[in-house]
Amino acid sequence: MALGSRPAAVRLVAHFISPKLDERRDMTTAHTTPHAAEEPRQTLPEGCPFAAAATAGPAGVPGAAGSPSATTAVPPRAPGEAMASATPVEPGVPMGLDGSTALGAPAAPGPPTGPGTPARPAVPATPPPPARSAPPARSARTAAARRRDRRVYTAAHPVLFALLAVARHKPVLRIGRTVLVHDADALRHALTRLPLDRTAAGTTGRAARSALDPGDAAPTGGVLFDQQGAAHRAARRGLADGLSAAGVARLRPLWQDTLARGLAPLAEGRDVDLVALAREAAGITACALLGVDADPLRLADAAADAAAAAVREHLPSLPRPWARSRTAAVDAARRLRDVLHEPGRDRAEDAAARAMLAVASVTTVVAALPRAAAWCADAGWWDRAADDTSRPALARELLRVTAPSPLLPRVAAEPGTLGGRPVRAGDRLLLVARHAVRAHTDDPDCRHPAEPALSQLVFGAGPHACPGARLATAQLEDFLNALAPYRPVVVRARADRRAALPGWRSLVVRPGATPAPEPA
């Protein structure tokens, strides 16, 4: 989630603030000073019936054409004087001052006017075009759920979140050497068609290497995020078994038992911290997926710390000594390597791949599951979560709206185009997945979910899409199913200001009374 440099962030602010100031200054001076230079205007003979119209400006607005007076009007007629008749002319044919057309023939006489002339029937006004249908009104509970979820962004990265929100009205926007992409098609094109440098500074691949690097040298083996071609395909084949439908089915009983045990206090009316529970479930799942005999909580904490330190190193922030930031990242990576180390499995490529998988699985689950539960609690969707038919769609919609990875930083390796705008080699691309999937505008709707091609963008697209999408969806479904009988309500929530992905540091819930279901 890197803008690339602080000057890029400054340019982004100036890009949106300066035009507003110029516009306000122009509006002020337009009423106080005349234009310095105007195009010469043709002067019509005095008394010409078209003189007043010529000075009226567009749409017959007096003074709109730059006349000194803002209230220029047609001279009053003498008593009994008839108004000049309007002579209809063939559309597109100009008329001279003598009433003749450009073809040389006099214009056809108009209908008689003056005293005693019957009034002409009024021409019915053209009805305005039908207004676009507005989205359904958001209920108060859904609005409260969205306000709470927004806190995970504003607490962790308030400046970056505000700048991206201001820029989201343009599908693709260039600020210096940084290109912001908010459009779904442009984002998909960037991930699938545009050649990318996956090891450049400020990218996910570089951050993954930082998270897994216990020293000054980069990991010997690839970390999936920074791989391409045959090496990347081989790495994905190695993960295929554990992350396939059969592999997820083998892992499912492990986290289901953890959830049942961790939520048991709710049956006694006691509070439960869902973030701690999600961290434990993620650690147990990661240990089983990697085949390591480690303490699940220790592994989850080490993976989260390594990811957070790597992201902080690549994000624009307040000035901090580089050495201190790099030292924190190195220490966190070393702790993760120590947790995963097993005698006989100390090859660098194996260690790097296992560490990468631990970081990805833990950070995604810890960020997404508590946020989804808060949405259901605040919006009153536990009936939908308890329904076997609506729960899968609800889980996918919640993953779309929470967008565990809301921003995908990339760097273009070759020139190309995005949304009709040119992209140069070396340009930094900020792919705002949260805006591309309309998470900021479209609430979760299990009855009318977004099309899969759109909702899947939160996991990327093309050959580099996240291989753990099936695992994350299954874990969220079971998480909601385990919580639904208790109808929990949120009693305390504290956003995590240092996590790699936007999420809660603590989300405490307690069992609630069965509420009336929210109206459809």
Side-chain angles (χ1 to χ4, degrees), residues 438-455:
R438 301 195 293 267
H440 62 298
T441 57
D442 297 358
D443 297 328
D445 189 349
C446 59
R447 297 182 177 91
H448 304 91
E451 58 272 19
L454 181 69
S455 59

Side-chain angles (χ1 to χ4, degrees), residues 22 61 76 136 195 216 230 237 322 324 328 330 350 363 365-366 389 402 407 438 472 475 495:
D22 294 340
V61 179
D216 294 332
R237 284 195 297 269
W322 181 89
R324 179 181 177 184
V330 169
D350 287 345
T363 54
V365 170
V366 174
T389 60
T402 56
L407 188 63
R438 301 195 293 267
Q475 287 178 305

Side-chain angles (χ1 to χ4, degrees), residues 399-504:
L399 285 173
R400 176 184 66 83
V401 173
T402 56
S405 298
L407 188 63
L408 307 176
R410 300 289 189 268
V411 171
E414 298 178 10
T417 58
L418 287 177
R421 293 185 175 271
V423 174
R424 296 169 290 180
D427 280 351
R428 299 184 181 277
L429 311 177
L430 292 184
L431 310 179
V432 191
R434 180 175 185 265
H435 296 164
V437 300
R438 301 195 293 267
H440 62 298
T441 57
D442 297 358
D443 297 328
D445 189 349
C446 59
R447 297 182 177 91
H448 304 91
E451 58 272 19
L454 181 69
S455 59
Q456 285 294 322
L457 283 180
V458 296
F459 295 106
H464 282 81
C466 176
R470 180 186 288 109
L471 177 64
T473 304
Q475 287 178 305
L476 180 54
E477 287 184 32
D478 290 346
F479 192 62
L480 298 177
N481 187 39
L483 282 167
Y486 303 105
R487 304 296 198 268
V489 295
V490 179
V491 294
R492 288 191 304 277
R494 184 158 59 104
D496 197 335
R497 299 176 181 272
R498 57 182 297 274
L501 302 178
W504 299 106

Side-chain angles (χ1 to χ4, degrees), residues 65-91:
S67 61
S69 173
T71 58
T72 302
V74 179
R77 302 192 308 273
E81 180 184 358
M83 180 183 296
S85 61
T87 55
V89 184
E90 180 180 354

Side-chain angles (χ1 to χ4, degrees), residues 108-190:
T113 58
T117 302
R120 298 176 60 185
V123 178
T126 303
R132 296 174 58 183
S133 58
R138 179 177 294 161
S139 70
R141 299 191 66 176
T142 304
R146 182 171 286 279
R147 284 195 301 272
R148 185 194 297 276
D149 190 67
R150 191 180 293 117
R151 287 170 48 193
V152 303
Y153 299 103
T154 57
H157 307 290
V159 176
L160 182 60
F161 179 76
L163 294 178
L164 294 178
V166 170
R168 70 187 178 209
H169 302 291
K170 295 187 177 182
V172 179
L173 176 66
R174 171 180 288 278
I175 307 294
R177 293 301 302 272
T178 300
V179 180
L180 280 70
V181 180
H182 305 272
D183 178 71
D185 292 336
L187 186 144
R188 188 181 295 107
H189 182 87

